[in-house]
Amino acid sequence: MYWFLAGAQPADPRHWVVSVLRTEAAREPGGRTAGAGVLLPGGQLLTCAHVVNDALGRPFFEYRPPGGVRVPVVLYGPSGPARYEAELAYWIPPRRVDGTVPVRARSDREWLGDLAVLVLDRCEATQDRPPPTPAWAPMAVGQRLRAWHSSTLGSSFADVRVKTVDSVLGYVDGEATGMAIGPAYSGGPLWCVAEEAAVGLVAAHVMPPADPATGAPLPHSSQHIARRSWGIPWQRIESELLAAGAYEVFAPAHAGPGPGREDPALLPLAEFLEAAVPAATLLADHARATAENCGYTYRKDGSSPDYEEFAEFLVTEPRALAALTDVLRRTEPRAADGLLALGRLSPVPALLSPREHRTLTRNLDAAPPEVLGRLSQVVRAALPLAPALPAGATPGELLARLELLPGDSRSDTEGTRVPGLLRVVEYLAALCPPTVAHRLHNWSNGVARRLGLPAGALSERRADAAAWAAAQGTRIAPLRILVQVAAAGPGYRLRLWCDEGAGPRQVSTDGDTVYTGSEAARELMRTLDDLCRAAPGERRPMVEALVDRAGLNIPIDEWESTDPETLLPGVLGAEYPLVVNCPELLRRNERFLPDWRRRWRQLDTGTSLRFSDSTVGLREIYGTLMDRLDAVRVAVALPPGLRDEIVQVCLAVGVPVVLWDRGAQARDSDALDHISGVTTRELPEGVRSYRARTVYRPGDHPGRPVLAWADADRVVPRLHLAEPHPQESA
């Protein structure tokens, strides 16, 4: 009998099932739920990635992270349903069994990955107490399981039995009577009644055969497979989430014998606890406070855990050690210091306690979107020597990785290292409005006190952050409008997204209307006017044109809105910083993605190259770029044919900034000469200024500059006009 127990067992296990709702953009008549999920510790929930995709109106097997999205969910409890918003924290996309992407909807019947962890925006019914969560156990052949529809209606349960299971998936067959697993069961838990634990997630079901010509179901035959589904067993969920760094997800049913028994810190921690807290009553008090902080319950018989079990809990539940030091710092500061020192022997303990993690998440939710949009830049400034973080990662993913950094590359005379996460929070606070900055400073002060950091260490980092923010001035990632431009005969098709700092938000889905250049400019100007009204500021939004290789030289910047009711001409490229982006080239050459991210990190310090020798071939260009991995900016001044090939080579190998003159017929270019002195980060505005001169002094400024700009810190939407229909109909 173990002392630490997972969250309180509800009277009905279906209360652990969460409804994942479709957003307004994806809402269909009569179809509010996209699928189900299951509660996890710390106000989190687990579901399938394809359920999140469906909730957002994306293709089922889209593998790119959706960015900082919020998904509506409903939790059910004895007191009734409660609606919340949930933000994506971890994304493990669907991938084929050979590890490649994307999953092919019509031919792949099994796949890997397909997991997502979401964080509830207000996970507590009372202050910091998270809702109860289920125990987990391995899936095994012969288990009798129960699944619920995402509506959690009492009549919606489906009973199944595990027929086969391995480390990848488990097949389950339903009973001949009662409900069958079907659409909107995906992402929900497979509950083992005998073990009182969840053993996996529903992922897909095998559809009956259909007529290949009409798609209609064929008449039933006794040879057909009936009521067969497959799920993701806990064994794979555990390995996939650990590989993604989602350590805080794990809260086993008991903190008894398990992986923690092999931890090198286990025995030293047990011996330390016995010496520091010899009284059983005091040990029980500390254990109860730690368990409650981590969302666990405990035995109510007045007992206390033995020292070894308490130590094992500290190296099994990632936030338990931080939660215990939170208790000890107030009454026994020396014991807290010793506990933290021993905790470094184990790879399990996370930096933050559950309370600190929830508070930081709430504070970040209150930060302006345009500041959160600069999070990757803030990390680079605060931790210049830290390993590169993944581009397009959600704030939750970045926080999880930052928690793993033991220090911030600065030494202190007292020998105590300031965690990198605290330095990043200070730099982020320096960009925030006073109210939000005050909350973040208070949070940092509290964490620093718990860790026993020297008084002046955090103040020094705060001063560094203030100096950096002052040097930034008004250099904030601009609002942007993204427009997919596709040639259609003599005209163009458009799709529009806005990005106020939290990721692309689609504002038009009409991909069929064909516009002339003038009509396209009018459509874009109207959207830009709305964006400026919604988020007034001192900087104009950036226009990012998403094109394919054939569209790199479309004269988008010359499009002019002709409106007889206004006196102004409305030349798009003269009024707004306008860049082009060709995601296709990087997507087709994904081995260069790390180079692209590394080059972008060096945008302010990297090398600029100019290719103007027409005798140089593509092989020499390729070799030069492979040799100069610090090259972040390339100007191409060559005749059109060779120029366009070299531009595509530069973009394909991950050069983030490429500049050329589509109007020049030789290597001489007035535009490139004028713009050569502009710093790389200010190129969008420098090119806009030159384009304005072509309006009122075209004879003196004949150039037609094109600026390709691939920002590794900001995501672009997926550019498909038609989406495939999945085989799996969950």
Side-chain angles (χ1 to χ4, degrees):
M1 186 74 179
Y2 303 117
W3 197 88
F4 293 98
L5 304 173
Q9 304 286 316
D12 188 343
R14 68 191 170 97
H15 289 157
W16 282 321
V17 181
V18 178
S19 295
V20 180
L21 306 183
R22 290 189 171 93
T23 60
E24 292 296 332
R27 191 70 54 80
E28 298 175 359
R32 292 187 64 229
T33 61
V38 58
L39 287 172
L40 294 174
Q44 302 177 101
L45 65 93
L46 176 68
T47 185
C48 289
H50 79 257
V51 170
V52 175
N53 280 332
D54 189 30
L56 298 174
R58 302 188 341 146
F60 267 41
F61 298 123
E62 173 59 69
Y63 59 90
R64 292 174 179 79
V69 297
R70 303 182 75 82
V71 179
V73 299
V74 176
L75 273 61
Y76 302 89
S79 58
R83 179 164 173 156
Y84 301 87
E85 294 287 322
E87 182 177 5
L88 183 67
Y90 295 98
W91 178 256
I92 304 174
R95 62 186 187 276
R96 299 171 62 193
V97 292
D98 62 2
T100 60
V101 291
V103 172
R104 299 169 300 186
R106 298 186 182 279
S107 56
D108 290 325
R109 299 181 182 275
E110 299 174 351
W111 53 88
L112 304 177
D114 200 10
L115 295 171
V117 177
L118 302 156
V119 179
L120 302 176
D121 65 345
R122 47 185 182 92
C123 64
E124 314 86 356
T126 60
Q127 295 300 321
D128 291 325
R129 181 69 59 85
T133 56
W136 290 86
M139 184 183 291
V141 173
Q143 287 173 330
R144 291 185 177 275
L145 309 180
R146 177 163 288 185
W148 287 269
H149 185 269
S150 59
S151 65
T152 74
L153 293 173
S155 62
S156 70
F157 68 89
D159 288 331
V160 296
R161 184 189 286 269
V162 180
K163 294 297 185 179
T164 65
V165 65
D166 54 27
S167 61
V168 175
L169 52 85
Y171 277 98
V172 298
D173 283 358
E175 296 183 354
T177 60
M179 190 73 73
I181 288 176
Y185 280 74
S186 276
L190 288 164
W191 177 257
C192 181
V193 179
E195 299 187 35
E196 293 188 342
V199 299
L201 297 184
V202 179
H205 62 277
V206 180
M207 297 295 294
D211 188 302
T214 65
L218 294 175
H220 179 72
S221 164
S222 61
Q223 297 298 311
H224 289 168
I225 297 175
R227 297 198 170 194
R228 173 160 293 172
S229 306
W230 66 264
I232 307 173
W234 171 244
Q235 298 92 303
R236 175 153 74 87
I237 294 172
E238 188 175 36
S239 63
E240 296 261 22
L241 292 178
L242 282 173
Y247 305 111
E248 68 270 23
V249 166
F250 297 95
H254 309 290
R261 300 202 61 82
E262 305 299 325
D263 196 288
L266 176 63
L267 291 180
L269 282 170
E271 294 171 355
F272 178 84
L273 288 172
E274 187 171 7
V277 193
T281 54
L282 187 58
L283 182 72
D285 290 341
H286 291 341
R288 282 191 289 270
T290 304
E292 290 171 357
N293 251 338
C294 296
Y296 281 72
T297 57
Y298 43 83
R299 290 170 61 180
K300 301 296 196 299
D301 56 3
S303 64
S304 65
D306 61 44
Y307 293 104
E308 188 168 338
E309 183 183 358
F310 200 167
E312 188 173 354
F313 182 63
L314 298 180
V315 295
T316 303
E317 165 56 44
R319 301 199 183 278
L321 192 139
L324 178 56
T325 58
D326 204 3
V327 175
L328 293 176
R329 179 60 63 186
R330 295 187 289 270
T331 58
E332 303 164 68
R334 289 187 178 180
D337 290 336
L339 194 69
L340 289 168
L342 289 174
R344 298 186 190 105
L345 300 176
S346 169
V348 174
L351 172 67
L352 303 180
S353 70
R355 178 184 57 81
E356 291 166 345
H357 188 269
R358 289 193 295 271
T359 303
L360 178 58
T361 301
R362 286 197 295 269
N363 289 341
L364 291 180
D365 286 342
E370 62 270 18
V371 173
L372 286 180
R374 298 180 67 184
L375 186 54
S376 294
Q377 178 196 355
V378 168
V379 172
R380 289 200 310 274
L383 305 172
L385 301 183
L389 297 174
T394 65
E397 291 169 334
L398 289 177
L399 291 178
R401 292 185 180 245
L402 290 170
E403 273 198 82
L404 302 177
L405 300 180
D408 62 358
S409 306
R410 293 279 301 275
S411 61
D412 293 290
T413 55
E414 293 87 348
T416 304
R417 304 182 70 186
V418 176
L421 177 60
L422 265 64
R423 185 173 173 92
V424 169
V425 169
E426 290 299 324
Y427 274 62
L428 196 68
L431 299 177
C432 287
T435 302
V436 179
H438 180 69
R439 294 177 188 170
L440 292 172
H441 288 325
N442 283 343
W443 178 88
S444 295
N445 293 338
V447 177
R449 280 194 298 271
R450 179 181 63 79
L451 296 176
L453 296 179
L458 192 61
S459 298
E460 185 179 359
R461 273 65 177 185
R462 191 165 295 167
D464 290 344
W468 171 78
Q472 299 301 296
T474 59
R475 199 176 79 190
I476 297 176
L479 303 177
R480 61 174 180 161
I481 181 169
L482 300 103
V483 52
Q484 180 186 1
V485 180
Y492 307 93
R493 291 191 175 95
L494 307 179
R495 271 191 174 182
L496 301 179
W497 294 261
C498 286
D499 183 0
E500 294 93 343
R505 170 177 58 82
Q506 191 159 2
V507 295
S508 81
T509 57
D510 179 15
D512 298 324
T513 302
V514 177
Y515 299 90
T516 65
S518 176
E519 292 168 340
R522 191 180 310 123
E523 185 72 15
L524 282 167
M525 289 287 194
R526 185 182 304 114
T527 304
L528 287 161
D529 286 345
D530 293 341
L531 187 59
C532 290
R533 281 195 297 270
E538 297 180 0
R539 302 184 65 187
R540 286 175 172 265
M542 175 186 285
V543 179
E544 184 171 333
L546 307 172
V547 298
D548 58 18
R549 287 181 292 173
L552 284 167
N553 286 304
I554 294 176
I556 304 168
D557 53 284
E558 297 182 41
W559 289 352
E560 183 173 345
S561 174
T562 55
D563 189 342
E565 297 183 3
T566 65
L567 299 175
L568 302 176
V571 179
L572 196 61
E575 292 197 25
Y576 294 94
L578 188 149
V579 300
V580 298
N581 190 356
C582 186
E584 169 195 354
L585 287 169
L586 266 177
R587 191 164 61 240
R588 290 174 180 268
N589 300 276
E590 292 189 346
R591 66 185 185 275
F592 295 110
L593 286 174
D595 296 340
W596 168 53
R597 296 179 184 123
R598 182 171 57 252
R599 292 181 198 267
W600 180 260
R601 289 177 63 212
Q602 303 172 19
L603 193 67
D604 297 313
T605 59
T607 300
S608 297
L609 301 178
R610 182 180 177 115
F611 295 136
S612 57
D613 185 354
S614 59
T615 65
V616 175
L618 296 182
R619 189 176 183 85
E620 288 78 7
I621 298 294
Y622 165 80
T624 300
L625 294 173
M626 291 299 95
D627 178 46
R628 302 302 304 272
L629 291 177
D630 62 339
V632 301
R633 166 179 172 178
V634 172
V636 184
L638 289 165
L642 179 60
R643 176 200 68 205
D644 293 344
E645 291 182 342
I646 291 175
V647 165
Q648 293 186 32
V649 169
C650 293
L651 297 175
V653 302
V655 177
V657 179
V658 183
L659 184 66
W660 68 98
D661 187 341
R662 70 168 176 271
Q665 297 302 311
R667 64 184 183 182
D668 295 327
S669 168
D670 176 76
L672 298 187
D673 291 341
H674 271 77
I675 298 168
S676 61
V678 179
T679 62
T680 302
R681 195 173 291 276
E682 297 302 322
L683 271 177
E685 177 59 25
V687 172
R688 185 209 63 78
S689 177
Y690 182 89
R691 288 168 176 158
R693 297 176 193 175
T694 67
V695 175
Y696 73 93
R697 291 171 59 188
D700 294 335
H701 301 285
R704 295 295 181 265
V706 183
L707 176 61
W709 186 269
D711 188 335
D713 291 338
R714 306 185 79 175
V715 298
V716 297
R718 186 164 175 82
L719 307 178
H720 282 293
L721 294 176
E723 310 292 2
H725 295 287
Q727 168 94 13
E728 198 272 337
S729 60

